[in-house]
Amino acid sequence: MIQTVRGTRDILPEDMPLWRRVEDVARESFRRYGYREIRTPIFEKTELFARGVGEATDIVHKEMYTFVDRARADSEGESLTLRPENTAPVVRAYIQHKIFADKSPGELTKLYYSGPMFRRERPQAGRYRQFYQIGAEVMGSSDDPAIEAEVIEMLDWFLKELKITNTTLLINSVGDPASRAAYLEKLREAIRPKLDKLCADCHHRYEANALRVFDCKVESCQPVIATLPVITDSLDEASLEHFEKFKAHLDARGVAYTVNPRMVRGLDYYTRTAFEIVGNDKLGAQNTLVGGGRYDGLSETLGGPPIKGFGFAFGLDRMVMALPDDEAERLRAADALDLFVVFLGAAARDRAFEDARKLREAGVAVAMEFEDRKMKKAMAAADKSRARFALIIGENEVASGKYGLKNLASGEQESLSLDEIIVKIATEPRSHRDKEKER
Ligand code: AMP
């Protein structure tokens, strides 16, 4: 039997209500905070990520799904890559479509995206080779730290709305490119005498971009990493001031945070503010829910104008895992069918088709089977469908126009006309979507 490729998986119908809930709440957050959606291709030129994310990062160095496209008559096959992240593509689109062009000074472009990303990482719980991210980018001429705090405030609301608690916001500043260059020198000097204690990947990182040593997860490297100088002690004046203001904005919003000077994020484009939201005990080892930061130089790196940017992405896979059990149960229950039609006899079958259509036209979610069965079997099918109600149509019901409506949870049964049934079902909230609308 052919199965899914290692590191990929099917999201089955039982889990989809949880995925949709996370997506819906994300969309609602973006709507409230003035973001618009963008969709970019799943594959891009390899160079976009090599330049944007950085050659020395684990993502580009080890994890990309890169392939040479078929050569055509007029061109060599070019190197393409399944996107491992979506900030570089969004910034590329922003430049390509000159989204910056008709903006007044200080005007921000706020974009969000949702879709699959691909990294050839070692699969484990919460880590997949095809995973799903939702993310947002704020771009414009301003690098006001209030922009960053507003993003965090939005994420705070988002997590609360999903009932995900016990998360920790970790923040750091990775400085501007000049102060980082000076710091990298210091860092390399500190690493050099200890190189023999570090893993092969760290040797590569030391050569290519020493900052990436902090991304190392190898146990035996950690004691050395713990002794290395931290970037927070080498910040330039302006980055330091920026960081202080960012923290003050978080304080003003009542958002709790922890400064982690060793959190430098695994992508090269970050400048100044970087952050992560680390999740609760449901997540295990792969517990980073959200990652983001400022990337002021990225547009220029990609051949665009000097635009400032700040953004984040979260993993949908992990966000779904972090949902509390009772919330997950509620979401699954709210996804249930409204009604399952049980009919007995040929006349009732015809009536059932007609009534199912009328109910569906009235917005009721209806399922039925097409086989005429004994009452007991038919009721078992209704139970199995997890519908809220069973509608029972037999010969008497066809004659009288009054049907049996059985609440499958409580077992209560009433005798009602079709119109009364429609009213009854319509007045009770059908699913969490309707409850959302009613709020
Ligand atoms: P990054 O783009 O590496 O900053 O990651 C941002 C978020 O995407 C992480 O915090 C995770 O929630 C999620 N993520 C990254 N890589 C994976 C993966 N391989 N599998 C599942 N989720 C991931």
Side-chain angles (χ1 to χ4, degrees):
M1 201 202 79
I2 300 174
Q3 301 209 337
T4 46
V5 174
R6 187 167 144 79
T8 72
R9 63 192 177 133
D10 304 308
I11 315 297
L12 296 173
E14 323 47 303
D15 284 332
M16 284 312 300
L18 317 190
W19 284 67
R20 271 205 310 275
R21 171 69 180 161
V22 175
E23 289 164 356
D24 288 347
V25 176
R27 277 183 208 285
E28 180 58 16
S29 316
F30 293 135
R31 188 187 70 78
R32 292 187 185 196
Y33 282 82
Y35 289 76
R36 298 207 298 161
E37 186 170 9
I38 185 166
R39 293 195 186 179
T40 59
I42 299 237
F43 57 89
E44 299 263 2
K45 295 187 179 174
T46 303
E47 194 191 350
L48 174 64
F49 303 111
R51 271 211 265 161
V53 179
E55 296 273 10
T57 60
D58 276 4
I59 293 178
V60 173
H61 180 59
K62 302 196 294 197
E63 297 169 0
M64 291 206 304
Y65 284 98
T66 296
F67 57 97
V68 178
D69 199 8
R70 280 171 200 242
R72 293 183 309 244
D74 58 344
S75 67
E76 294 275 294
E78 60 185 338
S79 179
L80 304 178
T81 291
L82 298 184
R83 62 183 185 191
E85 62 96 55
N86 213 34
T87 297
V90 169
V91 173
R92 179 208 38 73
Y94 180 79
I95 300 167
Q96 184 173 336
H97 303 285
K98 298 199 171 51
I99 295 175
F100 52 83
D102 59 347
K103 298 279 177 268
S104 48
E107 191 179 337
L108 298 171
T109 301
K110 294 169 131 184
L111 300 173
Y112 77 91
Y113 58 83
S114 171
M117 307 293 154
F118 305 85
R119 293 183 196 170
R120 203 173 187 295
E121 295 189 89
R122 195 168 53 77
Q124 61 184 91
R127 191 158 77 187
Y128 306 96
R129 290 178 170 178
Q130 172 171 335
F131 59 99
Y132 296 81
Q133 279 188 341
I134 291 182
E137 314 294 349
V138 185
M139 289 170 286
S141 55
S142 168
D143 64 355
D144 193 326
I147 295 171
E148 301 162 12
E150 190 195 72
V151 166
I152 306 273
E153 176 193 296
M154 174 173 75
L155 283 165
D156 207 47
W157 181 83
F158 167 78
L159 291 170
K160 281 202 185 92
E161 192 68 6
L162 287 176
K163 315 252 181 327
I164 296 176
T165 52
N166 298 328
T167 58
T168 309
L169 169 65
L170 303 176
I171 61 170
N172 192 22
S173 175
V174 294
D176 70 4
S179 70
R180 194 151 66 225
Y183 165 71
L184 278 176
E185 265 318 298
K186 261 212 252 176
L187 188 60
R188 285 169 59 86
E189 263 169 45
I191 296 173
R192 198 168 304 132
K194 298 169 182 163
L195 258 180
D196 57 334
K197 296 196 183 69
L198 292 175
C199 69
D201 278 338
C202 280
H203 281 236
H204 172 81
R205 294 176 175 121
Y206 167 79
E207 295 296 338
N209 178 354
L211 196 63
R212 299 274 68 92
V213 165
F214 289 105
D215 301 333
C216 184
K217 301 279 184 304
V218 174
E219 202 57 49
S220 58
C221 293
Q222 301 312 313
V224 175
I225 292 170
T227 66
L228 299 176
V230 294
I231 196 157
T232 331
D233 295 335
S234 301
L235 288 185
D236 53 292
E237 267 309 305
S239 293
L240 204 57
E241 196 188 317
H242 184 101
F243 196 45
E244 291 307 316
K245 281 191 185 150
F246 170 56
K247 288 191 281 187
H249 280 298
L250 291 180
D251 292 335
R253 284 166 174 78
V255 176
Y257 54 83
T258 305
V259 178
N260 179 353
R262 290 195 169 76
M263 196 261 301
V264 293
R265 314 272 309 121
L267 305 92
D268 276 357
Y269 48 62
Y270 288 119
T271 55
R272 293 191 172 166
T273 310
F275 77 96
E276 285 184 354
I277 298 177
V278 179
N280 52 32
D281 37 349
K282 294 196 70 184
L283 285 165
Q286 299 301 314
N287 69 347
T288 307
L289 278 172
V290 190
R294 175 162 289 288
Y295 48 85
D296 291 344
L298 180 58
S299 170
E300 283 153 292
T301 306
L302 299 177
I307 289 292
K308 317 267 199 253
F310 184 78
F312 70 86
F314 69 77
L316 254 161
D317 310 71
R318 288 185 202 172
M319 208 55 85
V320 167
M321 276 171 77
L323 289 170
D325 292 340
D326 52 353
E327 182 68 356
E329 203 33 62
R330 184 185 76 77
L331 292 167
R332 288 195 176 100
D335 193 55
L337 280 168
D338 293 318
L339 193 142
F340 190 93
V341 182
V342 170
F343 59 86
L344 302 156
R349 184 174 192 254
D350 288 342
R351 178 64 71 83
F353 292 148
E354 193 184 322
D355 288 345
R357 181 173 54 77
K358 286 185 188 155
L359 286 159
R360 286 166 173 155
E361 272 171 7
V364 180
V366 179
M368 63 182 285
E369 282 178 3
F370 298 98
E371 213 176 314
D372 192 0
R373 298 209 256 195
K374 294 262 177 315
M375 184 69 173
K376 207 170 161 198
K377 281 254 169 74
M379 286 309 294
D383 272 327
K384 202 167 166 224
S385 78
R386 298 187 68 189
R388 291 191 297 135
F389 295 99
L391 176 69
I392 301 156
I393 312 180
E395 269 167 39
N396 293 343
E397 283 79 4
V398 172
S400 69
K402 289 262 183 189
Y403 304 120
L405 185 73
K406 183 173 180 184
N407 182 322
L408 289 171
S410 67
E412 266 170 52
Q413 188 162 329
E414 310 177 70
S415 182
L416 299 170
S417 71
L418 192 67
D419 286 342
E420 287 167 334
I421 290 169
I422 289 172
V423 169
K424 185 176 170 75
I425 293 182
T427 49
E428 280 187 44
R430 268 190 292 278
S431 68
H432 74 271
R433 276 165 194 271
D434 293 345
K435 277 187 217 145
E436 285 302 295
K437 277 186 214 131
E438 279 160 22
R439 258 190 227 165

